[in-house]
Amino acid sequence: MMKKYFLLLLVCIGIGNVNAQLIKQDEQAQKKQADLDWYNCAFDQDGVYGVEVNKAYEFLKEKKIKKRPVVALIGSGIDVEHEDLKQAIWFNPKEKADGKDNDKNGFTDDINGWNFLGGKDGQVMESLMQEGDREFLRLKDKYADYMTSNGEFFKIIDGKRTKVPAPENLAEYSYYKNKVVPESKLAGTYGGWRIGYVIEEYAQKFKEQMDAKFPGHNHTLEEFQTCYDPKAPQDSLSDVVFTLIAYGFSLYKTEDFDVIYKNFVQTSVQRGRESYEKALQALGNDGRKEIVGDNYMDIKDNKYGNNVLLTSEAATGTMQAGIIGGKRDNGLGGNGIMDEAEIMCLRVSGGAGEPYLKDMALAIRYAVDHGADVIVLPQQNTLYPEDQKVWMNEAIRYAESKGSLVIVPVWELAYDLSKVEFFPNRWMDGSKELTNLMVIASSDKNGNPSMNSNYGAKELDLFAPGMDIYAAYMGDTYKTGTGAGLASATVAGVAALVKAYYPNLTGAQIREILLETVTSRGGVEIEKGIVVNGKRAQDLFLFDDLCLSGGIVNAYQAVVAADKRSK
């Protein structure tokens, strides 16, 4: 128990994709349900746009639960000993806590799930690298030194820009340049170091031009501007350096070119190298090799990790579990949507960074092989390396073939998903649509979408309560939180409720039902955050232009529809 509360002290109030605020238990008793676990409520009864869970139970009161649905939370750790969750934690029926792999699945003592970010000695990875940085380091030696100008390729050799042949694999180089570099801070700082040599080269050329035109004195901004000739043959590198130096005059607040030359040009290589080395030290190693010891690029290297689930970022998973399976009507915390669910924890996320796709793919397969009916993933990503994307696609297809529903929340970036592709999505393999994958976003108690959530009339399925939600927190405490991860838990809870009473429905069928039975917000005009030319803005939308269903998930309508379909 001492370890449990020591870990609690390490947890910040800001947790992953959930922001939480502590509320004391005695304060809860003074508030209405519509102010706390309002996702259970209905607009016609409580004045908030919950998912009508209470009404669903009224409809189901004469019916019996036919199955305890298994919900796999793939993401952070979880407090499996929480007082409000004990009845809802999944236990591996074939495993014992005896230091042996009793069920022979390759995972020792996987009683409540598995930590794919753990080591054999009990250590765990606390934070992860970004996918872009992982890809940069993987491809750095092949492509990071190339630079292009006017269709020609160059590298810095012995401090000089030297023309070289084009890369042999132009498709992979294009992927590196157009996909990896924009996603990697390491790639940006390394490129800045390389461009330092180019700055030196062209600045010297500009200086020589000015010395010839205006000999005998320090050169001014006006004289420097004569170095740009719009009629000269295009040289993209020259244009870049000219622009940088021109900006330097305003940055250093001077008209003297020599000031720019000494403070910016002559230090550019050194500053670039120092910047990259600093970034590499901070971002270039998350300790996976030392702690986990696997090859993250080999999907067949699949027996690694440990069973440590109470980790420093476990508050996120604990709140999700509270929404799904917190004990109903016990006077503690919020009422879970389906407190007969069994919640399995599969840890692939740390306190920072992005999950490894290998871990997620293996976690999906673990969940399916151990009976998961509903699987919740961490948020989407814009960068899925092609080989690893295949792993994820095949894992979700496997879940589809076994009848499991997979849920993933969007990011709070205000992107239009029809213009910026995120993964996983239903068309990620370019062929048959994934019928069991749901993409969701957060809504508030007034029925409005999160201002900054990603959106898409075809790409986003529906909205669900995920803002100012009261649920279980670490160490037998309770908090209100906001985040797309909580919205995904709401949908998972509703799906588990449907599965509990109508177990013959597949994940694909449950997705169809949830889409068809939303609380419709069609025709409602709302204000929504957007991104225009890389800058945040706001615009007015019709709700049904933001998602496929045009509404908010509705548990009552879902169980009514499931009941009809089952007959």
Side-chain angles (χ1 to χ4, degrees):
M1 290 298 290
M2 286 298 294
K3 181 179 180 181
K4 175 176 178 177
Y5 288 101
F6 174 74
L7 281 168
L8 176 62
L9 294 174
L10 299 178
V11 180
C12 299
I13 287 180
I15 47 172
N17 60 1
V18 176
N19 292 319
Q21 181 179 6
L22 183 65
I23 287 185
K24 296 180 180 178
Q25 187 65 33
D26 56 0
E27 293 178 3
Q28 177 216 14
Q30 302 170 14
K31 293 189 174 184
K32 298 178 181 179
Q33 186 178 38
D35 296 321
L36 296 167
D37 56 324
W38 58 269
Y39 51 84
N40 283 291
C41 298
F43 184 77
D44 59 352
Q45 296 177 344
D46 309 285
V48 294
Y49 280 93
V51 302
E52 303 191 357
V53 177
N54 297 334
K55 286 178 67 174
Y57 276 108
E58 280 294 311
F59 174 80
L60 296 166
K61 63 183 178 181
E62 302 298 329
K63 302 180 185 298
K64 292 183 179 180
I65 291 177
K66 297 179 180 178
K67 173 185 175 62
R68 290 196 68 186
V70 177
V71 180
L73 292 179
I74 298 178
S76 76
I78 193 173
D79 182 357
V80 298
E81 298 180 6
H82 195 286
E83 61 183 0
D84 201 31
L85 299 176
K86 289 181 180 180
Q87 87 292 335
I89 299 300
W90 175 78
F91 283 86
N92 187 343
K94 298 180 180 180
E95 193 73 7
K96 299 178 182 178
D98 58 3
K100 299 178 182 179
D101 181 15
N102 302 105
D103 58 3
K104 308 300 180 184
N105 67 351
F107 305 102
T108 301
D109 290 352
D110 53 327
I111 305 297
N112 307 122
W114 195 247
N115 184 347
F116 288 88
L117 301 176
K120 294 180 180 179
D121 56 0
Q123 290 189 78
V124 297
M125 295 174 65
E126 296 291 349
S127 61
L128 311 180
M129 294 172 62
Q130 299 292 116
E131 185 64 48
D133 289 336
R134 291 194 286 263
E135 282 291 272
F136 164 74
L137 292 178
R138 183 176 73 86
L139 297 171
K140 172 181 175 293
D141 291 345
K142 279 187 175 183
Y143 304 116
D145 287 319
Y146 281 102
M147 54 184 69
T148 60
S149 178
N150 306 323
E152 295 182 319
F153 289 84
F154 302 89
K155 286 185 177 181
I156 303 300
I157 300 176
D158 296 329
K160 301 294 183 181
R161 183 170 63 95
T162 306
K163 186 177 178 180
V164 295
E168 291 184 9
N169 190 336
L170 284 174
E172 188 175 55
Y173 172 73
S174 177
Y175 161 75
Y176 170 81
K177 182 179 179 181
N178 298 315
K179 296 289 188 179
V180 174
V181 171
E183 295 272 354
S184 171
K185 184 177 289 187
L186 285 178
T189 56
Y190 188 83
W193 177 14
R194 300 288 93 185
I195 204 70
Y197 291 97
V198 179
I199 291 172
E200 285 187 344
E201 173 190 349
Y202 280 94
Q204 180 61 35
K205 291 181 178 178
F206 296 149
K207 189 175 185 302
E208 292 171 356
Q209 290 177 31
M210 289 186 287
D211 285 343
K213 292 178 183 177
F214 314 103
H217 64 271
N218 291 350
H219 303 300
T220 64
L221 171 60
E222 184 178 356
E223 292 172 349
F224 170 73
Q225 290 173 336
T226 66
C227 295
Y228 178 71
D229 182 1
K231 297 180 181 180
Q234 185 180 10
D235 184 341
S236 57
L237 291 177
S238 176
D239 293 345
V240 167
V241 176
F242 181 88
T243 302
L244 290 172
I245 294 176
Y247 176 70
F249 281 97
S250 61
L251 182 67
Y252 288 95
K253 298 179 180 179
T254 182
E255 293 284 318
D256 190 341
F257 176 78
D258 280 356
V259 173
I260 308 299
Y261 199 84
K262 292 176 182 177
N263 291 281
F264 175 68
V265 174
Q266 291 184 326
T267 63
S268 58
V269 172
Q270 179 182 347
R271 285 185 290 106
R273 181 178 64 250
E274 291 173 352
S275 178
Y276 171 70
E277 290 173 347
K278 184 178 180 180
L280 183 64
Q281 185 174 11
L283 306 172
N285 183 16
D286 55 16
R288 181 165 187 129
K289 183 177 180 179
E290 295 78 12
I291 296 173
V292 179
D294 71 316
N295 176 3
Y296 80 90
M297 290 297 298
D298 182 3
I299 194 70
K300 294 182 180 179
D301 181 4
N302 54 18
K303 298 298 184 287
Y304 58 91
N306 61 32
N307 67 347
V308 178
L309 302 180
L310 184 63
T311 49
S312 60
E313 83 300 320
T316 298
T318 304
M319 294 192 79
Q320 290 179 306
I323 293 169
I324 298 167
K327 187 67 177 177
R328 294 183 66 82
D329 302 322
N330 65 347
L332 297 174
N335 284 345
I337 296 173
M338 183 1 81
D339 60 359
E340 293 288 332
E342 298 181 69
I343 298 171
M344 176 194 302
C345 176
L346 298 170
R347 181 176 183 260
V348 301
S349 302
E354 295 171 344
Y356 287 78
L357 299 190
K358 173 187 169 182
D359 295 341
M360 286 201 289
L362 293 177
I364 292 170
R365 289 183 175 275
Y366 178 103
V368 174
D369 289 340
H370 291 81
D373 301 293
V374 182
I375 299 170
V376 181
L377 299 180
Q379 286 162 313
Q380 295 176 303
N381 201 337
T382 50
L383 183 60
Y384 263 34
E386 200 61 37
D387 291 346
Q388 299 176 56
K389 184 170 73 172
V390 172
W391 301 342
M392 283 294 292
N393 182 72
E394 290 178 346
I396 297 173
R397 287 275 182 220
Y398 181 58
E400 182 183 46
S401 72
K402 299 297 184 179
S404 301
L405 177 68
V406 180
I407 299 167
V408 62
V410 300
W411 275 95
E412 294 280 316
L413 296 172
Y415 285 151
D416 181 346
L417 295 175
S418 68
K419 298 179 180 178
V420 182
E421 187 175 21
F422 281 73
F423 302 98
N425 62 62
R426 295 194 302 279
W427 309 275
M428 61 190 289
D429 69 350
S431 58
K432 182 182 176 183
E433 179 181 349
L434 288 162
T435 62
N436 66 326
L437 179 64
M438 290 202 79
V439 181
I440 62 92
S442 294
S443 57
D444 65 17
K445 62 178 61 177
N446 296 317
N448 295 320
S450 167
M451 178 65 73
N452 292 319
S453 70
N454 291 353
Y455 60 95
K458 295 181 180 179
E459 297 78 12
L460 175 64
D461 282 315
L462 50 74
F463 286 86
M467 305 172 73
D468 296 321
I469 303 289
Y470 184 69
Y473 197 72
M474 291 183 52
D476 293 343
T477 62
Y478 304 86
K479 292 194 176 186
T480 55
T482 292
L486 302 187
S488 65
T490 301
V491 177
V494 174
L497 178 63
V498 173
K499 189 73 176 182
Y501 287 88
Y502 308 98
N504 291 331
L505 294 173
T506 66
Q509 291 171 326
I510 292 175
R511 175 178 177 269
E512 288 178 359
I513 289 172
L514 297 185
L515 288 173
E516 294 167 358
T517 60
V518 294
T519 300
S520 177
R521 299 284 283 156
V524 176
E525 190 175 60
I526 54 93
E527 191 173 38
K528 181 76 179 64
I530 61 174
V531 175
V532 180
N533 297 325
K535 295 182 179 180
R536 291 289 181 94
Q538 293 181 7
D539 201 355
L540 292 175
F541 288 85
L542 293 178
F543 199 105
D544 32 330
D545 289 333
L546 297 176
C547 66
L548 182 63
S549 66
I552 298 166
V553 67
N554 187 308
Y556 168 66
Q557 297 291 350
V559 295
V560 170
D563 190 70
K564 290 180 180 178
R565 180 174 292 206
S566 68
K567 294 176 180 177

Short mmCIF file of all heavy atoms in Angstrom, two decimals, residues 469-489:
data_model
loop_
_atom_site.label_atom_id
_atom_site.label_comp_id
_atom_site.label_asym_id
_atom_site.label_seq_id
_atom_site.Cartn_x
_atom_site.Cartn_y
_atom_site.Cartn_z
N ILE A 469 -16.20 15.68 -16.45
CA ILE A 469 -16.75 14.40 -16.04
C ILE A 469 -16.18 14.02 -14.68
O ILE A 469 -14.97 14.10 -14.45
CB ILE A 469 -16.41 13.30 -17.05
CG1 ILE A 469 -16.91 13.66 -18.45
CG2 ILE A 469 -16.96 11.97 -16.58
CD1 ILE A 469 -18.39 13.61 -18.61
N TYR A 470 -17.04 13.57 -13.78
CA TYR A 470 -16.63 13.17 -12.43
C TYR A 470 -16.46 11.65 -12.40
O TYR A 470 -17.37 10.91 -12.79
CB TYR A 470 -17.71 13.59 -11.44
CG TYR A 470 -17.39 13.32 -9.98
CD1 TYR A 470 -16.39 14.02 -9.33
CD2 TYR A 470 -18.12 12.38 -9.26
CE1 TYR A 470 -16.11 13.80 -8.00
CE2 TYR A 470 -17.85 12.14 -7.92
CZ TYR A 470 -16.84 12.86 -7.29
OH TYR A 470 -16.57 12.64 -5.97
N ALA A 471 -15.28 11.19 -11.97
CA ALA A 471 -15.02 9.75 -11.99
C ALA A 471 -13.91 9.40 -11.00
O ALA A 471 -13.29 10.27 -10.38
CB ALA A 471 -14.62 9.31 -13.40
N ALA A 472 -13.68 8.12 -10.87
CA ALA A 472 -12.63 7.61 -9.99
C ALA A 472 -11.27 8.14 -10.40
O ALA A 472 -10.99 8.32 -11.58
CB ALA A 472 -12.63 6.08 -10.02
N TYR A 473 -10.43 8.37 -9.39
CA TYR A 473 -9.07 8.83 -9.62
C TYR A 473 -8.15 7.92 -8.80
O TYR A 473 -8.61 6.99 -8.13
CB TYR A 473 -8.94 10.30 -9.21
CG TYR A 473 -7.73 11.02 -9.74
CD1 TYR A 473 -7.64 11.35 -11.09
CD2 TYR A 473 -6.69 11.37 -8.90
CE1 TYR A 473 -6.53 12.03 -11.58
CE2 TYR A 473 -5.58 12.04 -9.38
CZ TYR A 473 -5.49 12.37 -10.71
OH TYR A 473 -4.40 13.04 -11.20
N MET A 474 -6.89 8.19 -8.80
CA MET A 474 -5.95 7.30 -8.13
C MET A 474 -6.04 7.41 -6.61
O MET A 474 -6.38 8.44 -6.06
CB MET A 474 -4.53 7.57 -8.60
CG MET A 474 -4.34 7.16 -10.04
SD MET A 474 -2.70 7.34 -10.71
CE MET A 474 -1.65 6.53 -9.55
N GLY A 475 -5.74 6.26 -5.95
CA GLY A 475 -5.67 6.26 -4.50
C GLY A 475 -7.01 6.44 -3.82
O GLY A 475 -7.11 7.15 -2.81
N ASP A 476 -8.08 5.86 -4.35
CA ASP A 476 -9.43 5.96 -3.77
C ASP A 476 -9.91 7.39 -3.68
O ASP A 476 -10.62 7.77 -2.74
CB ASP A 476 -9.47 5.29 -2.38
CG ASP A 476 -9.29 3.79 -2.46
OD1 ASP A 476 -9.46 3.23 -3.56
OD2 ASP A 476 -8.97 3.18 -1.42
N THR A 477 -9.52 8.22 -4.63
CA THR A 477 -10.02 9.59 -4.71
C THR A 477 -10.84 9.73 -5.98
O THR A 477 -10.94 8.80 -6.78
CB THR A 477 -8.86 10.62 -4.72
OG1 THR A 477 -8.05 10.40 -5.89
CG2 THR A 477 -8.00 10.49 -3.47
N TYR A 478 -11.45 10.92 -6.16
CA TYR A 478 -12.34 11.17 -7.29
C TYR A 478 -12.08 12.56 -7.83
O TYR A 478 -11.79 13.49 -7.06
CB TYR A 478 -13.81 11.01 -6.86
CG TYR A 478 -14.07 9.66 -6.25
CD1 TYR A 478 -13.84 9.44 -4.89
CD2 TYR A 478 -14.48 8.60 -7.04
CE1 TYR A 478 -14.03 8.18 -4.34
CE2 TYR A 478 -14.68 7.33 -6.50
CZ TYR A 478 -14.45 7.14 -5.14
OH TYR A 478 -14.62 5.88 -4.60
N LYS A 479 -12.19 12.72 -9.14
CA LYS A 479 -11.91 14.02 -9.74
C LYS A 479 -12.83 14.28 -10.92
O LYS A 479 -13.44 13.36 -11.47
CB LYS A 479 -10.46 14.11 -10.21
CG LYS A 479 -9.44 14.14 -9.08
CD LYS A 479 -8.07 14.56 -9.59
CE LYS A 479 -7.08 14.67 -8.42
NZ LYS A 479 -5.79 15.22 -8.86
N THR A 480 -12.93 15.56 -11.28
CA THR A 480 -13.56 15.90 -12.54
C THR A 480 -12.46 16.03 -13.58
O THR A 480 -11.38 16.55 -13.29
CB THR A 480 -14.34 17.22 -12.46
OG1 THR A 480 -13.49 18.26 -12.00
CG2 THR A 480 -15.52 17.09 -11.53
N GLY A 481 -12.72 15.58 -14.78
CA GLY A 481 -11.72 15.63 -15.83
C GLY A 481 -12.32 15.95 -17.17
O GLY A 481 -13.54 15.81 -17.39
N THR A 482 -11.47 16.37 -18.08
CA THR A 482 -11.87 16.69 -19.45
C THR A 482 -10.86 16.07 -20.40
O THR A 482 -9.66 16.17 -20.18
CB THR A 482 -11.92 18.21 -19.65
OG1 THR A 482 -12.99 18.76 -18.89
CG2 THR A 482 -12.13 18.56 -21.13
N GLY A 483 -11.35 15.44 -21.46
CA GLY A 483 -10.42 14.90 -22.44
C GLY A 483 -11.09 13.92 -23.38
O GLY A 483 -12.11 13.29 -23.04
N ALA A 484 -10.51 13.78 -24.56
CA ALA A 484 -11.06 12.86 -25.55
C ALA A 484 -11.01 11.42 -25.05
O ALA A 484 -11.85 10.59 -25.42
CB ALA A 484 -10.30 12.99 -26.86
N GLY A 485 -10.04 11.11 -24.17
CA GLY A 485 -9.98 9.77 -23.61
C GLY A 485 -11.20 9.44 -22.77
O GLY A 485 -11.62 8.28 -22.71
N LEU A 486 -11.78 10.44 -22.13
CA LEU A 486 -12.99 10.22 -21.34
C LEU A 486 -14.20 10.01 -22.25
O LEU A 486 -15.09 9.22 -21.96
CB LEU A 486 -13.23 11.38 -20.39
CG LEU A 486 -12.10 11.68 -19.39
CD1 LEU A 486 -12.53 12.73 -18.39
CD2 LEU A 486 -11.65 10.41 -18.67
N ALA A 487 -14.22 10.72 -23.37
CA ALA A 487 -15.29 10.51 -24.35
C ALA A 487 -15.24 9.10 -24.91
O ALA A 487 -16.29 8.45 -25.11
CB ALA A 487 -15.19 11.54 -25.47
N SER A 488 -14.04 8.60 -25.19
CA SER A 488 -13.92 7.23 -25.70
C SER A 488 -14.39 6.23 -24.66
O SER A 488 -14.98 5.19 -24.99
CB SER A 488 -12.48 6.94 -26.13
OG SER A 488 -11.59 6.97 -25.03
N ALA A 489 -14.15 6.53 -23.38
CA ALA A 489 -14.63 5.66 -22.31
C ALA A 489 -16.15 5.65 -22.25
O ALA A 489 -16.76 4.61 -21.98
CB ALA A 489 -14.04 6.10 -20.97
#
